[in-house]
Amino acid sequence: MSERTVPDLLTRPSAGRAASMPLMGREGEPTVFELSSPGRKAWSFRETGLPEWAPEDLVPAEHLAGAPPALPEMSERDLVAHMSRLSSRNYSVDHGAYPLGSCTMKYNPKLCDAVAAMPALAHCHPAQPDDQIQGWLALLADLERILCEVTGTAAATLQPAAGAQGELTGLLLMRAWHESRGRTPTKVLIPDSAHGTNPASAAMAGYEAVEVPSDGRGLVDLDALRRLVSDDVAGLMLTNPNTVGLFEVDIEPIAAALHAADGLLYYDGANLNAILGAVRPGDMGFDIVHLNLHKTFATPHGGGGPGAGPVAVSERLAPFLPGPLPRPVPGEEGRYRWEMPERSIGRIHGWHGNALVLARAYAYILFHGGEGLAEIARTAVLNARYLKERLRGTYDFPYDGPCMHEFVASSAGIKRKSGAKALDLAKRLIEEGFHPPTMYFPLIVDEALMVEPTETESPQTVEALAQALLAVAAEAEADGGAAARAAPRTTPVGRVDEAAAARQLRLTWSG
Ligand SMILES: *Cc1c(COP(=O)(O)O)cnc(C)c1O
């Protein structure tokens, strides 16, 4: 961390360098501090001769700062040009394909944005009395109902703000259920291919995370699982299709093994797009399901924006859900009120979660309908299988079962022949106009490239992506990886020191 703080930075005499800085160029976009010029303003109003308000007239003197903050001083024109240039430097889902496996970034319909921006939804305050926001309550209650239908469960909470928070909620529900039966098991089983949030959430909920090995197929090793199941196991967290993109075909014996020991099954449904309308976690024997609306239902994941990780549960866990929940008022058709479930674990988020993300998901589901959702799953799987087959022979597939919405390729063979690592190929792909796939995850695959084309790309785009991935591999073999190691050469910034960026985080500009 830099020792300089924000106030420190703001009072720093930063002006004066602007004149010597280039205004554009690949490396050269100056910061607002460097563009600052003392006394320059973004606006100027004519003198009116009217009396001015003194700050003390508005805010009691004891609450006023001694001096105004030393903010950058710029003209409106320079500021708008600076921000516009910055805005075009990043690659986003709106620019093109973004095949980032697991952490899906896909195009999301602008219609959902329009719905979330409707003043009738966006301008409500969550503290408004129930009778003023009946529409919102009906929307949330209906979304809960639909998510239960999609997942084969009985009740849901929409409060959690992210997948990881949904996981924590689900594990606290697991704990509450066991405690209600006088049991305090201490372990949660988690496959070695699982998303990193799973063991982290288990630890946060006070459980010991016990790793379940994968077998040669890339699926849960059933014998190893059976050996690990005991009275001290609260449950199993499973992602299905799992993180290497394969469907856990042994889900029935897996569920039976857990249920025989009074354990619960937790479904990590962050990427439900693979199975929508085809198979339901509840029918596979899961009691708890979390969904990432910001992956599957019309909000892009990543970038730090708001998300929603609803948790849906079977009948026996419903009394423990976080609340309050929107419930129909008995005897008053179409009216709702907030109610706390009987044995609720309490709140997990302020108010009702990220409500406008919920509104986008609701719009997305309604305009697709049941058949549309099933079509999403079919297209997601078809796109992934097409791309995987196009790469066969050039990339390796350590776990070669039929993939679902994503697959994990290994570029270890290309590295042996050319020296180019998965990282180099990924950087080279940027020059071809594509966002790289997820790299080096899951950890059980050497030189892993985890690819999810998503359901939103056309066949032409998926084919272009295939050709780019094949071309960067062929080029590496021809030039010993030289071009890949030099990439990216077409972006404002080339290779950055990623380890230093992660370990010595500097969030302030210090000249
Ligand atoms: C993205 C993801 C998560 C975590 O979701 P966040 O919203 O990022 O907390 C959990 N599990 C899987 C499989 C995921 O892909």
Side-chain angles (χ1 to χ4, degrees):
M1 269 295 234
S2 159
E3 279 163 26
R4 302 180 70 95
T5 60
V6 171
D8 188 3
L9 185 63
L10 292 175
T11 50
R12 180 185 172 283
S14 62
R17 287 181 60 196
S20 62
M21 291 294 295
L23 282 180
M24 285 176 71
R26 281 173 55 188
E27 303 277 349
E29 184 66 33
T31 64
V32 279
F33 302 107
E34 291 162 309
L35 289 169
S36 175
S37 183
R40 193 164 289 171
K41 286 196 173 82
W43 43 264
S44 56
F45 294 129
R46 70 186 169 91
E47 288 295 335
T48 61
L50 292 170
E52 273 188 38
W53 287 98
E56 298 77 23
D57 298 333
L58 303 168
V59 178
E62 67 268 29
H63 296 308
L64 285 175
L71 296 173
E73 297 171 85
M74 294 175 73
S75 70
E76 178 178 350
R77 197 269 169 280
D78 288 349
L79 182 60
V80 169
H82 170 69
M83 293 300 178
S84 300
R85 287 194 298 267
L86 285 183
S87 73
S88 61
R89 289 185 148 209
N90 225 343
Y91 188 88
S92 74
V93 270
D94 284 354
H95 281 94
Y98 211 118
L100 194 67
S102 186
C103 291
T104 324
M105 289 283 274
K106 57 180 186 175
Y107 175 75
N108 292 285
K110 298 297 173 229
L111 180 55
C112 300
D113 292 345
V115 168
M118 282 164 58
L121 292 175
H123 293 180
C124 287
H125 192 282
Q128 272 174 255
D130 293 0
D131 62 352
Q132 292 179 6
I133 49 166
Q134 281 295 311
W136 253 121
L137 269 73
L139 185 160
L140 297 175
D142 203 33
L143 179 61
E144 265 177 40
R145 179 190 63 78
I146 293 171
L147 295 180
C148 288
E149 207 167 296
V150 166
T151 53
T153 50
T157 170
L158 304 175
Q159 269 182 29
Q165 203 188 13
E167 290 171 27
L168 178 64
T169 307
L171 289 157
L172 293 175
L173 290 168
M174 194 182 272
R175 173 179 289 284
W177 182 76
H178 283 298
E179 282 174 2
S180 76
R181 310 171 78 234
R183 300 184 68 235
T184 50
T186 62
K187 295 175 181 161
V188 169
L189 304 183
I190 302 173
D192 56 7
S193 64
H195 198 269
T197 47
N198 289 190
S201 300
M204 279 185 77
Y207 284 114
E208 182 195 339
V210 177
E211 194 172 281
V212 184
S214 300
D215 61 16
R217 300 170 299 171
L219 303 178
V220 166
D221 183 329
L222 191 55
D223 291 330
L225 176 84
R226 286 192 174 124
R227 281 194 294 275
L228 289 169
V229 171
S230 75
D231 277 357
D232 202 23
V233 167
L236 166 75
M237 293 180 88
L238 198 65
T239 310
N240 194 16
N242 67 21
T243 308
V244 292
L246 302 176
F247 191 80
E248 295 282 355
V249 289
D250 294 328
I251 183 58
E252 285 179 327
I254 290 172
L258 264 293
H259 288 155
D262 231 0
L264 295 176
L265 262 74
Y266 180 102
Y267 185 92
D268 179 336
N271 304 293
L272 206 72
N273 58 340
I275 60 159
L276 279 175
V279 60
R280 307 189 305 170
D283 300 336
M284 297 183 221
F286 287 90
D287 280 284
I288 310 167
V289 182
H290 94 255
L291 306 175
N292 278 27
L293 301 189
H294 52 289
K295 282 181 186 168
T296 308
F297 295 102
T299 294
H301 180 267
V311 174
V313 296
S314 61
E315 196 74 55
R316 55 183 176 164
L317 286 159
F320 303 99
L321 279 175
L325 301 172
R327 287 288 168 266
V329 179
E332 288 187 51
E333 177 82 34
R335 290 193 68 78
Y336 294 86
R337 68 181 180 208
W338 294 111
E339 273 177 31
M340 209 65 182
E342 235 175 290
R343 309 174 71 173
S344 176
I345 59 167
R347 266 189 182 286
I348 199 81
H349 189 283
W351 303 112
H352 317 300
N354 283 324
L356 293 172
V357 175
L358 303 173
R360 291 155 76 121
Y362 188 61
Y364 186 77
I365 291 169
L366 287 192
F367 73 69
H368 279 294
E371 183 44 37
L373 293 184
E375 182 70 28
I376 285 171
R378 287 194 291 268
T379 311
V381 174
L382 181 62
N383 275 352
R385 288 188 181 176
Y386 176 83
L387 184 58
K388 183 182 171 200
E389 291 314 315
R390 288 286 285 118
L391 303 183
R392 191 178 290 284
T394 299
Y395 292 82
D396 300 320
F397 304 106
Y399 302 117
D400 204 7
C403 75
M404 299 295 286
H405 61 301
E406 66 191 4
F407 59 88
V408 180
S410 168
S411 61
I414 300 166
K415 184 177 161 193
R416 268 195 304 279
K417 285 182 243 167
S418 69
K421 296 180 286 189
L423 174 82
D424 302 321
L425 299 173
K427 296 289 186 196
R428 180 67 183 82
L429 200 61
I430 296 173
E431 298 181 344
E432 300 300 310
F434 292 100
H435 192 282
T438 301
M439 300 174 295
Y440 301 111
F441 179 78
L443 304 175
I444 53 176
V445 173
D446 193 24
E447 295 297 315
L449 286 170
M450 182 190 225
V451 192
E452 175 171 6
T454 81
E455 63 272 20
T456 49
E457 298 303 345
S458 68
Q460 287 79 5
T461 301
V462 180
E463 172 57 24
L465 176 58
Q467 287 181 14
L469 279 160
L470 293 172
V472 301
E475 178 192 65
E477 288 183 24
D479 74 355
R485 271 189 298 278
R489 294 157 298 191
T490 52
T491 48
V493 177
R495 293 279 178 117
V496 293
D497 185 342
E498 291 174 14
R503 298 214 179 108
Q504 297 154 23
L505 201 59
R506 273 175 48 196
L507 297 175
T508 54
W509 178 78
S510 52

